[in-house]
């Protein structure tokens, strides 16, 4: 990281900018790879992917919901994908620009980064906003959706576009970045530990890792159960406990600089849960879907200030420095 006066610096010290989407699948680090099966399927002998304990407790089961499992040792909560015939979940909530700007400003006290990789960038919404805070930073993006990452590159939101998971994109990204951001990516990864290890490799010494994740100990998440937002997709869900994440970061050589809960709460969980619960309704009952989800959305906004100050908050945010 260099001071703000970095306009004269080249934006990358790594390979030259490529205008094409990187669709190559590269080797994953040793251990469970990015494509390794998740033990969240409830198969006999399954173990917690976070601490290895076999003390797993089923939380909720049902033909219309994700099968949830919680580790009684570390509180890591995970779920198996729903069958392909399951109902399509609600569209992901849009993240307000102010939320993206708030995330980016966490790095302001540490100077202007030369290069920043946003993992799970989608169409590049975060880099597009973060550039207002860091105009001389080169933002790259990585996403498993080739269409979205191509659009992010075409719109100029990212300078380099990479397709896949962070662990699958190595070794081309090793040591190239001053900042790597993982916003709600650990819960989507088949192996969250592999993604953290890959992030450490992608960072230069002294680089920063910014993580935002759902909190499995959230009171609101416990209340919503299988209808909570992290469990409405058709991909493995891993809710990593905050103490476990901090311990894993220290084991990887990171120094934890900041841990925040309140600002990481994003309203919308009640509305998502209502839409999920009512999605299968037919006939006259279906007429209630819109007003009920609207009411749930209003409650989300009303409860947001309280959630940010209590255990109702659904997320946490961690900033750490490598080496």
């Amino acid at each position: 990281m260099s001071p703000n006066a970095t306009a004269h610096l080249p934006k990358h010290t790594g390979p030259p900018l490529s205008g094409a989407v990187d669709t190559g699948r590269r080797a994953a680090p040793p251990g469970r790879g990015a494509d390794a099966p998740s033990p969240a399927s409830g198969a006999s002998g399954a173990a917690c992917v976070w601490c290895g304990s076999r003390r797993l407790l089923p939380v909720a089961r049902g033909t219309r919901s994700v099968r949830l499992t919680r580790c009684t040792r570390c509180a890591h909560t995970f779920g198996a994908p729903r069958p392909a015939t399951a109902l399509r979940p609600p569209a992901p909530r849009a993240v307000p620009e102010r939320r993206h700007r708030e995330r980016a400003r966490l790095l302001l006290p540490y100077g202007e980064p030369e290069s920043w990789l946003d993992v799970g960038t989608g169409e590049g919404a975060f880099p597009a906003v973060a550039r207002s805070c860091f105009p001389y930073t080169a933002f790259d993006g990585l996403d498993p959706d080739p269409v979205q990452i191509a659009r992010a590159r075409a719109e100029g939101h990212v300078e380099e576009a990479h397709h896949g998971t962070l662990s699958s994109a190595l070794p081309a990204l090793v040591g190239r970045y001053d900042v790597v951001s993982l916003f709600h990516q650990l819960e989507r990864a088949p192996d969250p530990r592999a993604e953290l290890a890959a992030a450490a490799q992608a960072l230069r010494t002294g680089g920063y890792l910014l993580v935002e994740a759902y909190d499995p100990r959230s009171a609101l998440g416990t209340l919503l159960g299988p209808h909570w937002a992290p469990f409405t997709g058709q991909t493995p869900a891993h809710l990593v406990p905050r103490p476990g994440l901090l311990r894993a970061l220290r084991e990887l050589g990171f120094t934890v600089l900041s841990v925040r809960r309140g600002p990481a709460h994003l309203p919308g969980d009640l509305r998502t849960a209502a839409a999920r619960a009512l999605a299968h309704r037919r006939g006259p009952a279906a007429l209630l879907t819109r007003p009920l989800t609207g009411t749930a959305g209003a409650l989300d906004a009303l409860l947001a200030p309280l959630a940010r100050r209590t255990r109702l908050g659904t997320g946490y945010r961690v900033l750490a420095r490598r080496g």
Side-chain angles (χ1 to χ4, degrees), residues 191-282:
D191 187 342
R193 279 188 177 276
E195 291 301 283
L196 287 175
Q201 293 183 64
L203 285 167
R204 297 166 180 157
T205 300
Y208 296 86
L209 176 63
L210 182 55
V211 178
E212 190 169 288
Y214 286 107
D215 185 354
R217 294 175 175 170
S218 163
L220 183 58
T222 300
L223 177 66
L224 297 177
H227 298 304
W228 192 21
F231 300 115
T232 57
Q234 294 192 17
T235 56
H238 294 282
L239 270 63
V240 179
R242 184 177 45 170
L245 175 64
L246 299 182
R247 183 167 55 252
L249 289 175
R250 294 185 180 107
E251 289 172 355
L252 288 169
F254 284 94
T255 299
V256 176
L257 303 175
S258 173
V259 181
R260 303 185 182 186
R261 292 196 68 237
H265 176 75
L266 181 64
D269 292 283
L270 293 176
R271 187 181 187 281
T272 299
R276 177 77 185 96
L278 297 170
H280 65 283
R281 302 296 179 182
R282 296 291 183 269

